[in-house]
Short mmCIF file of all heavy atoms in Angstrom, two decimals:
data_model
loop_
_atom_site.label_atom_id
_atom_site.label_comp_id
_atom_site.label_asym_id
_atom_site.label_seq_id
_atom_site.Cartn_x
_atom_site.Cartn_y
_atom_site.Cartn_z
N SER A 142 -1.60 -2.84 31.08
CA SER A 142 -0.40 -2.83 31.96
C SER A 142 0.37 -1.53 31.76
O SER A 142 0.18 -0.83 30.74
CB SER A 142 0.47 -4.04 31.63
OG SER A 142 1.06 -3.88 30.31
N ASP A 143 1.27 -1.21 32.64
CA ASP A 143 2.10 -0.05 32.52
C ASP A 143 2.91 -0.12 31.20
O ASP A 143 3.09 0.93 30.50
CB ASP A 143 3.01 0.06 33.71
CG ASP A 143 2.28 0.38 34.98
OD1 ASP A 143 1.15 0.77 34.95
OD2 ASP A 143 2.98 0.32 36.10
N SER A 144 3.46 -1.28 30.81
CA SER A 144 4.28 -1.31 29.65
C SER A 144 3.50 -1.14 28.42
O SER A 144 3.86 -0.43 27.43
CB SER A 144 5.10 -2.63 29.61
OG SER A 144 4.15 -3.77 29.58
N VAL A 145 2.27 -1.75 28.31
CA VAL A 145 1.43 -1.54 27.16
C VAL A 145 0.95 -0.13 27.09
O VAL A 145 0.88 0.47 25.99
CB VAL A 145 0.22 -2.52 27.30
CG1 VAL A 145 -0.87 -2.16 26.26
CG2 VAL A 145 0.63 -3.92 27.05
N SER A 146 0.55 0.46 28.20
CA SER A 146 0.08 1.82 28.22
C SER A 146 1.19 2.82 27.71
O SER A 146 0.90 3.66 26.89
CB SER A 146 -0.34 2.26 29.60
OG SER A 146 -1.46 1.51 30.05
N ALA A 147 2.37 2.67 28.23
CA ALA A 147 3.50 3.50 27.83
C ALA A 147 3.73 3.36 26.34
O ALA A 147 4.00 4.33 25.65
CB ALA A 147 4.74 3.19 28.66
N ARG A 148 3.72 2.10 25.80
CA ARG A 148 4.03 1.89 24.48
C ARG A 148 2.93 2.53 23.57
O ARG A 148 3.23 3.11 22.51
CB ARG A 148 4.12 0.37 24.11
CG ARG A 148 4.43 0.02 22.71
CD ARG A 148 4.61 -1.45 22.52
NE ARG A 148 4.92 -1.77 21.18
CZ ARG A 148 5.02 -3.01 20.68
NH1 ARG A 148 4.84 -4.10 21.54
NH2 ARG A 148 5.23 -3.30 19.40
N TRP A 149 1.68 2.40 23.99
CA TRP A 149 0.55 3.01 23.28
C TRP A 149 0.76 4.51 23.16
O TRP A 149 0.64 5.15 22.06
CB TRP A 149 -0.72 2.65 23.99
CG TRP A 149 -1.97 3.12 23.39
CD1 TRP A 149 -2.18 3.72 22.16
CD2 TRP A 149 -3.29 2.89 23.91
NE1 TRP A 149 -3.51 3.97 21.96
CE2 TRP A 149 -4.22 3.45 22.99
CE3 TRP A 149 -3.79 2.36 25.09
CZ2 TRP A 149 -5.61 3.49 23.23
CZ3 TRP A 149 -5.14 2.36 25.35
CH2 TRP A 149 -6.01 2.93 24.44
N VAL A 150 0.89 5.19 24.30
CA VAL A 150 1.09 6.62 24.34
C VAL A 150 2.23 7.11 23.51
O VAL A 150 2.19 8.08 22.74
CB VAL A 150 1.21 7.12 25.79
CG1 VAL A 150 1.61 8.53 25.86
CG2 VAL A 150 -0.10 6.90 26.63
N THR A 151 3.41 6.32 23.57
CA THR A 151 4.56 6.68 22.82
C THR A 151 4.27 6.58 21.33
O THR A 151 4.83 7.46 20.53
CB THR A 151 5.74 5.82 23.25
OG1 THR A 151 6.06 6.01 24.63
CG2 THR A 151 6.99 6.13 22.45
N LEU A 152 3.59 5.54 20.90
CA LEU A 152 3.28 5.41 19.47
C LEU A 152 2.41 6.48 18.98
O LEU A 152 2.62 7.02 17.89
CB LEU A 152 2.56 4.02 19.27
CG LEU A 152 2.17 3.72 17.82
CD1 LEU A 152 3.40 3.68 16.94
CD2 LEU A 152 1.43 2.41 17.74
N MET A 153 1.45 6.92 19.75
CA MET A 153 0.61 8.07 19.36
C MET A 153 1.45 9.31 19.13
O MET A 153 1.19 10.11 18.15
CB MET A 153 -0.49 8.30 20.46
CG MET A 153 -1.42 7.19 20.65
SD MET A 153 -2.42 6.62 19.22
CE MET A 153 -1.37 5.32 18.48
#
Side-chain angles (χ1 to χ4, degrees):
S142 68
D143 290 347
S144 60
V145 167
S146 296
R148 184 177 177 184
W149 183 6
V150 169
T151 299
L152 179 60
M153 299 300 91

